[in-house]
Amino acid sequence: MNTELQSIMKEKNRDVMPRVLMTGAECAPFAKTGGLADVMGTLARELKNLGCDIRLVLPFHRVIKDQYREEVKHIVSFSVDIGRHSQYVGVELYDWEGLPVYFIDNEYYFGHAIYCGGNFEGEQYAYFSRAVIDALPVIGFEPEIIHVNDWHTAIIPMLLKTQYDLHPQGKCKTVLTIHNLGYQGRFNFGYASHLLGIDDRYFHQDYIEFHGDANFLKAGIVFADKLVTVSPTYAHEIRMPYYGEGLDGILQTRADDLIGILNGIDTKVFNPAADPLIPYPYDEFSLAEKQKNKEALIAELGLEIKPQTPLIGMVTRLTKQKGIDLVLRVFNEIIHAGAGFLLIGTGEKDYEKFFRGMANRTGNLAKGFIMFDDRLAHRIYAGSDYFLMPSVFEPCGLAQMIALRYGTLPIVRSTGGLKDTVWPYNEKTDEGNGFSFDNYNAHDMLNTVRYALKIYRQKPRLESLRKRAMQRDWSFQKSALAYAKLYVVTVSQ
């Protein structure tokens, strides 16, 4: 066990790590639509490696059932009441290399998409939250902490403290991780109350009420024992109106219980020295092989640029949050500055249309691929010289850490986790690992891109930057240690 963790445990008079049940809507490798899944899967494994008795509980989504139905063991079945209707709950157990995973099975709620949208999505995860709590007495595991993630499970702390306070489950402490404050789970209060039997007295601005609706994420913010965001800067930003999505006031009142723990990445999956998805493995001491990956990528995709032309890559969702408006505003200037450009992603239709037509407009100096392709994403990380990520806000961001791992220098807006991971290059001191700008402004971004392209032509500086980027530890071990310490402190209060 880590010596720092041992010291805190000794201070808190604990001989063993707390028992933790972690829950959320998705978790890699079982079901994944975004970064939440990567975080839950990798964090759980790293916590187990630290000696934490941690278990996962997840919806038995169709995508999971189709792959794992023959490998799970049925534990128990029972019913819960949702909206005055009795609904079946099946609990299936899967042994994930020694880490127990409980799946909550119900075809009506989880036999289709992970996120169904609208009121039904609220019902999906109201049901799931109720099922998680009611499963605790019958699965043979008594957690000291329930770790919930985002709005889909954020109602659990409220239910524990208002409806289960006299039950054994009510003794559990809770930790809520906010991965993206923009997604809150807002529903008509009458509907939410009907589903979960929430007392009318909690429809108040101090509890679950938010602009006339019930807000599931707000419920978690109010009732969870500890709050975590996925980077230190984001923990500070969301207490300000610009980033607070209307919840800055309530977050300010919980400031003493709110911390930022920077996410990490899976350094086994994202390892340029042993990545099976790229043609030429490399590390910081064999950067000539990175250039070979670039040349292979140019040839594979039919880019009409020379091998020595700087190549800017993006692997992103095509949404306003990701700063796509800035890219569109000065895209022609970026190409005229002498760069090639590659993008892979999906999202809003107008953005997709723009990037789908890039090749024709630029004579194949730039190409956009409107899809998700893990193999191509890895090759863009490995073969690009720069990685553009000009987000409006970014709770943590994983893509910039992956790019750094591959020696692909990020060009980012300094916000949230981007500010915590990308430090602007300083020519005088030869410090920094990338390039950044502060204001959400297209020409500020363009000037930063031009500066990065200038540094590209200074090969000793470029190589020094790449090596420094690749040498930093972006694994989840530091994150897991911070969570483990938080668990110990939480159960000791």
Side-chain angles (χ1 to χ4, degrees):
M1 183 183 293
N2 179 276
T3 55
E4 188 178 351
L5 184 56
Q6 284 180 322
S7 176
I8 290 178
M9 290 179 63
K10 183 177 180 181
E11 177 186 329
K12 300 298 181 181
N13 296 314
R14 291 211 44 118
D15 297 322
V16 295
M17 286 284 293
R19 301 182 301 276
V20 179
L21 187 72
M22 185 185 296
T23 185
E26 58 180 279
C27 175
F30 307 106
K32 175 182 173 179
T33 67
L36 166 63
D38 291 317
V39 171
M40 281 192 59
T42 310
L43 177 59
R45 291 200 306 273
E46 291 294 346
L47 284 164
K48 179 180 177 293
N49 292 338
L50 283 173
C52 185
D53 185 358
I54 185 164
R55 307 188 184 194
L56 290 166
V57 58
L58 307 168
F60 205 18
H61 294 297
R62 168 59 56 197
V63 66
I64 305 176
K65 184 178 288 189
D66 286 348
Q67 182 172 352
Y68 293 93
R69 71 168 74 235
E70 302 300 327
E71 301 177 51
V72 299
K73 175 184 177 183
H74 181 70
I75 298 296
V76 68
S77 58
F78 56 93
S79 297
V80 297
D81 291 332
I82 294 292
R84 301 189 189 95
H85 294 286
S86 181
Q87 296 285 2
Y88 169 81
V89 179
V91 183
E92 314 294 322
L93 178 63
Y94 176 73
D95 183 351
W96 184 26
E97 300 176 358
L99 197 160
V101 182
Y102 302 99
F103 293 116
I104 301 296
D105 183 25
N106 182 291
E107 276 293 309
Y108 175 66
Y109 290 117
F110 305 125
H112 25 77
I114 294 175
Y115 304 114
C116 294
N119 277 349
F120 185 70
E121 187 169 315
E123 185 175 342
Q124 273 184 294
Y125 289 100
Y127 160 83
F128 178 66
S129 297
R130 177 73 75 195
V132 168
I133 297 173
D134 284 355
L136 293 179
V138 295
I139 62 174
F141 180 62
E142 298 180 4
E144 296 170 87
I145 287 180
I146 300 179
H147 183 169
V148 302
N149 292 269
D150 276 349
W151 78 259
H152 301 90
T153 50
I155 199 72
I156 288 175
M158 179 179 178
L159 295 176
L160 287 174
K161 289 188 176 178
T162 62
Q163 297 182 5
Y164 292 83
D165 52 325
L166 299 180
H167 295 70
Q169 301 100 307
K171 298 178 183 178
C172 293
K173 296 293 183 73
T174 55
V175 172
L176 165 63
T177 295
I178 301 168
H179 298 263
N180 190 331
L181 194 66
Y183 302 102
Q184 300 181 5
R186 290 177 57 180
F187 304 96
N188 176 272
F189 178 76
Y191 179 69
S193 178
H194 171 72
L195 292 175
L196 292 168
I198 299 170
D199 193 287
D200 287 350
R201 71 176 181 266
Y202 296 111
F203 188 57
H204 186 276
Q205 63 181 2
D206 292 339
Y207 298 112
I208 196 172
E209 189 274 335
F210 184 78
H211 297 295
D213 289 332
N215 185 318
F216 281 30
L217 183 62
K218 183 180 178 183
I221 291 169
V222 171
F223 284 95
D225 293 291
K226 295 292 182 182
L227 308 173
V228 182
T229 67
V230 290
S231 73
T233 294
Y234 193 59
H236 174 73
E237 287 177 341
I238 61 175
R239 289 184 280 140
M240 299 184 291
Y242 183 78
Y243 294 99
E245 302 286 350
L247 294 174
D248 49 289
I250 198 72
L251 285 162
Q252 190 63 42
T253 68
R254 296 297 315 274
D256 290 344
D257 295 311
L258 171 65
I259 66 169
I261 297 176
L262 186 69
N263 283 338
I265 59 173
D266 189 329
T267 52
K268 292 182 179 179
V269 171
F270 298 106
N271 178 9
D275 188 339
L277 300 181
I278 66 175
Y280 302 100
Y282 65 97
D283 59 20
E284 66 266 35
F285 303 109
S286 54
L287 287 172
E289 302 301 298
K290 178 173 174 61
Q291 177 65 21
K292 290 182 181 179
N293 281 288
K294 176 182 176 181
E295 293 172 10
L297 186 65
I298 291 170
E300 176 186 352
L301 300 181
L303 276 176
E304 296 292 337
I305 64 172
K306 297 178 180 179
Q308 62 269 30
T309 299
L311 180 58
I312 298 172
M314 293 186 75
V315 178
T316 184
R317 296 195 316 274
L318 298 177
T319 64
K320 184 177 179 62
Q321 181 216 325
K322 295 299 182 178
I324 304 302
D325 287 337
L326 300 190
V327 180
L328 269 58
R329 177 70 179 81
V330 294
F331 179 76
N332 290 337
E333 288 89 336
I334 291 173
I335 299 303
H336 291 156
F341 189 95
L342 278 176
L343 175 142
I344 182 171
T346 61
E348 297 177 20
K349 296 305 178 185
D350 287 346
Y351 295 152
E352 289 187 351
K353 181 179 179 181
F354 177 89
F355 289 110
R356 193 179 281 115
M358 270 195 317
N360 289 335
R361 292 194 309 273
T362 64
N364 288 328
L365 297 176
K367 285 197 171 185
F369 297 87
I370 308 306
M371 63 174 79
F372 178 78
D373 182 321
D374 198 41
R375 172 185 169 277
L376 180 55
H378 278 243
R379 292 187 177 215
I380 290 175
Y381 283 122
S384 300
D385 298 298
Y386 296 104
F387 191 86
L388 184 58
M389 202 168 173
S391 303
V392 179
F393 66 93
E394 196 64 59
C396 176
L398 301 179
Q400 82 280 8
M401 286 187 268
I402 298 170
L404 287 163
R405 175 91 164 137
Y406 283 75
T408 299
L409 303 178
I411 302 171
V412 306
R413 179 167 175 262
S414 187
T415 183
L418 300 176
K419 185 174 183 177
D420 293 329
T421 53
V422 179
W423 305 292
Y425 179 57
N426 186 319
E427 288 185 53
K428 293 182 179 180
T429 62
D430 192 31
E431 295 175 319
N433 62 358
F435 304 87
S436 66
F437 59 100
D438 293 328
N439 298 320
Y440 189 72
N441 178 281
H443 285 89
D444 285 2
M445 182 190 78
L446 177 61
N447 289 335
T448 305
V449 169
R450 286 171 170 161
Y451 176 62
L453 298 180
K454 169 192 166 186
I455 296 300
Y456 177 83
R457 295 187 289 271
Q458 303 176 31
K459 297 306 179 184
R461 294 184 187 277
L462 181 69
E463 184 167 331
S464 176
L465 264 166
R466 284 176 171 169
K467 287 183 176 180
R468 191 156 52 247
M470 297 182 73
Q471 289 167 351
R472 183 85 178 187
D473 179 10
W474 300 112
S475 73
F476 243 108
Q477 293 175 357
K478 292 180 180 178
S479 308
L481 177 60
Y483 272 107
K485 291 178 345 188
L486 177 66
Y487 294 155
V488 172
V489 170
T490 303
V491 297
S492 301
Q493 291 179 339

